[in-house]
PDB file of all heavy atoms in Angstrom:
ATOM      1  N   LEU A 197      91.531 -27.294  -3.550  1.00  0.00           N
ATOM      2  CA  LEU A 197      90.472 -26.305  -3.402  1.00  0.00           C
ATOM      3  C   LEU A 197      89.102 -26.971  -3.388  1.00  0.00           C
ATOM      4  O   LEU A 197      88.243 -26.660  -2.559  1.00  0.00           O
ATOM      5  CB  LEU A 197      90.549 -25.279  -4.530  1.00  0.00           C
ATOM      6  CG  LEU A 197      91.723 -24.295  -4.457  1.00  0.00           C
ATOM      7  CD1 LEU A 197      91.900 -23.563  -5.785  1.00  0.00           C
ATOM      8  CD2 LEU A 197      91.524 -23.293  -3.327  1.00  0.00           C
ATOM      9  N   GLU A 198      88.901 -27.903  -4.310  1.00  0.00           N
ATOM     10  CA  GLU A 198      87.599 -28.565  -4.393  1.00  0.00           C
ATOM     11  C   GLU A 198      87.289 -29.377  -3.145  1.00  0.00           C
ATOM     12  O   GLU A 198      86.118 -29.553  -2.797  1.00  0.00           O
ATOM     13  CB  GLU A 198      87.557 -29.453  -5.636  1.00  0.00           C
ATOM     14  CG  GLU A 198      87.516 -28.652  -6.936  1.00  0.00           C
ATOM     15  CD  GLU A 198      87.557 -29.518  -8.170  1.00  0.00           C
ATOM     16  OE1 GLU A 198      87.837 -30.731  -8.026  1.00  0.00           O
ATOM     17  OE2 GLU A 198      87.320 -28.994  -9.276  1.00  0.00           O
ATOM     18  N   SER A 199      88.330 -29.815  -2.438  1.00  0.00           N
ATOM     19  CA  SER A 199      88.107 -30.633  -1.244  1.00  0.00           C
ATOM     20  C   SER A 199      87.576 -29.830  -0.060  1.00  0.00           C
ATOM     21  O   SER A 199      87.003 -30.405   0.867  1.00  0.00           O
ATOM     22  CB  SER A 199      89.411 -31.332  -0.842  1.00  0.00           C
ATOM     23  OG  SER A 199      90.344 -30.387  -0.308  1.00  0.00           O
ATOM     24  N   VAL A 200      87.751 -28.508  -0.087  1.00  0.00           N
ATOM     25  CA  VAL A 200      87.326 -27.702   1.067  1.00  0.00           C
ATOM     26  C   VAL A 200      86.165 -26.758   0.739  1.00  0.00           C
ATOM     27  O   VAL A 200      85.587 -26.163   1.647  1.00  0.00           O
ATOM     28  CB  VAL A 200      88.501 -26.868   1.632  1.00  0.00           C
ATOM     29  CG1 VAL A 200      89.573 -27.783   2.201  1.00  0.00           C
ATOM     30  CG2 VAL A 200      89.084 -25.932   0.584  1.00  0.00           C
ATOM     31  N   LEU A 201      85.819 -26.627  -0.539  1.00  0.00           N
ATOM     32  CA  LEU A 201      84.753 -25.712  -0.927  1.00  0.00           C
ATOM     33  C   LEU A 201      83.402 -26.408  -0.926  1.00  0.00           C
ATOM     34  O   LEU A 201      83.271 -27.539  -1.394  1.00  0.00           O
ATOM     35  CB  LEU A 201      85.021 -25.139  -2.319  1.00  0.00           C
ATOM     36  CG  LEU A 201      86.293 -24.301  -2.482  1.00  0.00           C
ATOM     37  CD1 LEU A 201      86.448 -23.866  -3.941  1.00  0.00           C
ATOM     38  CD2 LEU A 201      86.272 -23.080  -1.568  1.00  0.00           C
ATOM     39  N   ALA A 202      82.388 -25.733  -0.409  1.00  0.00           N
ATOM     40  CA  ALA A 202      81.032 -26.249  -0.485  1.00  0.00           C
ATOM     41  C   ALA A 202      80.564 -26.210  -1.942  1.00  0.00           C
ATOM     42  O   ALA A 202      81.103 -25.469  -2.764  1.00  0.00           O
ATOM     43  CB  ALA A 202      80.104 -25.411   0.383  1.00  0.00           C
ATOM     44  N   ALA A 203      79.563 -27.004  -2.257  1.00  0.00           N
ATOM     45  CA  ALA A 203      79.115 -27.119  -3.649  1.00  0.00           C
ATOM     46  C   ALA A 203      78.665 -25.781  -4.212  1.00  0.00           C
ATOM     47  O   ALA A 203      78.926 -25.463  -5.375  1.00  0.00           O
ATOM     48  CB  ALA A 203      77.990 -28.146  -3.743  1.00  0.00           C
ATOM     49  N   ASP A 204      77.971 -24.980  -3.385  1.00  0.00           N
ATOM     50  CA  ASP A 204      77.442 -23.698  -3.874  1.00  0.00           C
ATOM     51  C   ASP A 204      78.229 -22.504  -3.350  1.00  0.00           C
ATOM     52  O   ASP A 204      77.688 -21.424  -3.151  1.00  0.00           O
ATOM     53  CB  ASP A 204      75.972 -23.563  -3.493  1.00  0.00           C
ATOM     54  CG  ASP A 204      75.734 -23.741  -1.992  1.00  0.00           C
ATOM     55  OD1 ASP A 204      76.702 -24.090  -1.283  1.00  0.00           O
ATOM     56  OD2 ASP A 204      74.587 -23.541  -1.540  1.00  0.00           O
ATOM     57  N   VAL A 205      79.519 -22.691  -3.134  1.00  0.00           N
ATOM     58  CA  VAL A 205      80.391 -21.631  -2.637  1.00  0.00           C
ATOM     59  C   VAL A 205      80.329 -20.392  -3.532  1.00  0.00           C
ATOM     60  O   VAL A 205      80.136 -20.495  -4.752  1.00  0.00           O
ATOM     61  CB  VAL A 205      81.847 -22.144  -2.527  1.00  0.00           C
ATOM     62  CG1 VAL A 205      82.367 -22.575  -3.889  1.00  0.00           C
ATOM     63  CG2 VAL A 205      82.769 -21.089  -1.922  1.00  0.00           C
ATOM     64  N   VAL A 206      80.488 -19.214  -2.928  1.00  0.00           N
ATOM     65  CA  VAL A 206      80.546 -17.961  -3.682  1.00  0.00           C
ATOM     66  C   VAL A 206      81.810 -17.213  -3.273  1.00  0.00           C
ATOM     67  O   VAL A 206      82.117 -17.098  -2.084  1.00  0.00           O
ATOM     68  CB  VAL A 206      79.323 -17.061  -3.407  1.00  0.00           C
ATOM     69  CG1 VAL A 206      79.382 -15.805  -4.274  1.00  0.00           C
ATOM     70  CG2 VAL A 206      78.025 -17.818  -3.650  1.00  0.00           C
ATOM     71  N   SER A 207      82.537 -16.709  -4.254  1.00  0.00           N
ATOM     72  CA  SER A 207      83.739 -15.910  -3.994  1.00  0.00           C
ATOM     73  C   SER A 207      83.447 -14.459  -4.354  1.00  0.00           C
ATOM     74  O   SER A 207      83.020 -14.153  -5.473  1.00  0.00           O
ATOM     75  CB  SER A 207      84.919 -16.418  -4.826  1.00  0.00           C
ATOM     76  OG  SER A 207      86.059 -15.588  -4.654  1.00  0.00           O
ATOM     77  N   TYR A 208      83.657 -13.551  -3.369  1.00  0.00           N
ATOM     78  CA  TYR A 208      83.428 -12.120  -3.555  1.00  0.00           C
ATOM     79  C   TYR A 208      84.769 -11.395  -3.491  1.00  0.00           C
ATOM     80  O   TYR A 208      85.507 -11.546  -2.518  1.00  0.00           O
ATOM     81  CB  TYR A 208      82.535 -11.552  -2.451  1.00  0.00           C
ATOM     82  CG  TYR A 208      81.186 -12.207  -2.305  1.00  0.00           C
ATOM     83  CD1 TYR A 208      81.015 -13.298  -1.463  1.00  0.00           C
ATOM     84  CD2 TYR A 208      80.074 -11.713  -2.984  1.00  0.00           C
ATOM     85  CE1 TYR A 208      79.763 -13.885  -1.299  1.00  0.00           C
ATOM     86  CE2 TYR A 208      78.818 -12.290  -2.824  1.00  0.00           C
ATOM     87  CZ  TYR A 208      78.678 -13.379  -1.985  1.00  0.00           C
ATOM     88  OH  TYR A 208      77.444 -13.959  -1.819  1.00  0.00           O
ATOM     89  N   SER A 209      85.058 -10.588  -4.490  1.00  0.00           N
ATOM     90  CA  SER A 209      86.277  -9.781  -4.501  1.00  0.00           C
ATOM     91  C   SER A 209      85.896  -8.307  -4.482  1.00  0.00           C
ATOM     92  O   SER A 209      85.386  -7.778  -5.473  1.00  0.00           O
ATOM     93  CB  SER A 209      87.123 -10.085  -5.744  1.00  0.00           C
ATOM     94  OG  SER A 209      87.469 -11.454  -5.800  1.00  0.00           O
TER      95      SER A 209
END
Side-chain angles (χ1 to χ4, degrees):
L197 288 166
E198 290 177 348
S199 71
V200 295
L201 298 177
D204 55 354
V205 61
V206 183
S207 176
Y208 303 90
S209 302

